[in-house]
Amino acid sequence: MTTTAPGRRTDPLRSLRRTPGGFAGAVACEGTKLWSVRAPYLCLLAGLAVTCVFTFYYASIARINEHPVQPVGNAAASSVVIVQFAVVVLATVAVASEYTTGSVRASLLWVPRRHRVQAAKALVTAVVAFVAGTLFAVVGTVVAWVAFDGRATLDVGPTLRQLLAIGVYQALVAVLTVGTAFAARHPAGVLSILVALLWALPSVLLGLGGPSLAKVNGFLPHGAGDHFMRIGAEGTLAPATAVLIVAAWAGAAHLTGLYVLRRRDA
């Protein structure tokens, strides 16, 4: 028999109806905010469309010009140079839109521990980017297999590794973007920095040519990512080393964003 204090009523379902707090609550909140607007859906749709177009073009050119036979997953891995910007825009919207509208103040009131806010955003966008990047790679590989028309190989083990590697790279790009967004706080600034880092600078280094510049490019995020996403990529970096380089870029951006978030008012 359960006794209660006079004037008080017990509710056996109270604990079941509690809203989760702590980091789990912050993650749930960020997930709800992310999918409550149309921008993420448009970003993912654009990423899927670009993947299909790029991989079909890549495989068709390889077939028409009679390039050497290569793993079919290389088409999807090569498409990442463009498709990654769908993830960049998605992660930028998740952070910078709150600064643009001023709703970041409410977010920091709900979750006063600022590192928890940033970590929750990074985790949510990274999971979305990993799942989306892997699915994009699967679709791109199927499209490329048809377009290659026999000028590609399909080994299950290496192909699966490539698909997962693409997902991991996209997840790290999401973390990199979230950290950059918290540091820059404005969509134009975030996109300017990441377009330069992920596309413009590598294009300049590879365009100028030379082994030294190619080696420098290997230590940039996409240059390193290419080493573990694409089979037969030029360079001397081992896949594990390349992953650590991309993770280091993402970690540095995350810490920079956290420093700014803690030092400056919302």
Side-chain angles (χ1 to χ4, degrees), residues 7-95:
R8 294 183 61 185
R9 298 177 63 185
T10 59
D11 186 354
L13 299 179
R14 182 179 178 183
S15 60
L16 298 178
R17 292 201 298 261
R18 285 178 181 170
T19 302
F23 185 64
V27 170
C29 180
E30 295 302 331
T32 300
K33 288 190 291 184
L34 180 66
W35 298 115
S36 64
V37 295
R38 286 177 292 181
Y41 300 97
L42 295 176
C43 289
L44 296 178
L45 183 61
L48 180 61
V50 171
T51 298
C52 293
V53 172
F54 189 101
T55 51
F56 183 84
Y57 173 80
Y58 180 98
S60 298
I61 291 298
R63 185 191 73 248
I64 293 171
N65 294 330
E66 298 184 348
H67 290 173
V69 175
Q70 60 183 297
V72 66
N74 279 358
S78 297
S79 72
V80 173
V81 68
I82 298 177
V83 179
Q84 64 183 336
F85 289 105
V87 172
V88 168
V89 174
L90 185 150
T92 299
V93 169
V95 179

Side-chain angles (χ1 to χ4, degrees), residues 93-173:
V93 169
V95 179
S97 62
E98 292 198 28
Y99 282 100
T100 302
T101 61
S103 60
V104 66
R105 297 184 183 91
S107 296
L108 296 178
L109 285 174
W110 295 332
V111 187
R113 296 185 179 181
R114 298 191 173 193
H115 69 277
R116 187 174 289 172
V117 174
Q118 183 177 349
K121 284 186 182 291
L123 178 60
V124 169
T125 55
V127 171
V128 172
F130 174 79
V131 174
T134 304
L135 291 177
F136 291 165
V138 171
V139 174
T141 299
V142 173
V143 172
W145 178 253
V146 175
F148 269 123
D149 194 22
R151 296 201 64 84
T153 59
L154 178 58
D155 296 325
V156 176
T159 301
L160 288 177
R161 185 190 68 79
Q162 282 188 282
L163 299 178
L164 293 176
I166 292 171
V168 170
Y169 175 79
Q170 295 284 32
L172 291 174
V173 167

Side-chain angles (χ1 to χ4, degrees), residues 202-215:
S203 298
V204 170
L205 293 175
L206 295 178
L208 292 175
S212 298
L213 294 180
K215 187 174 182 179

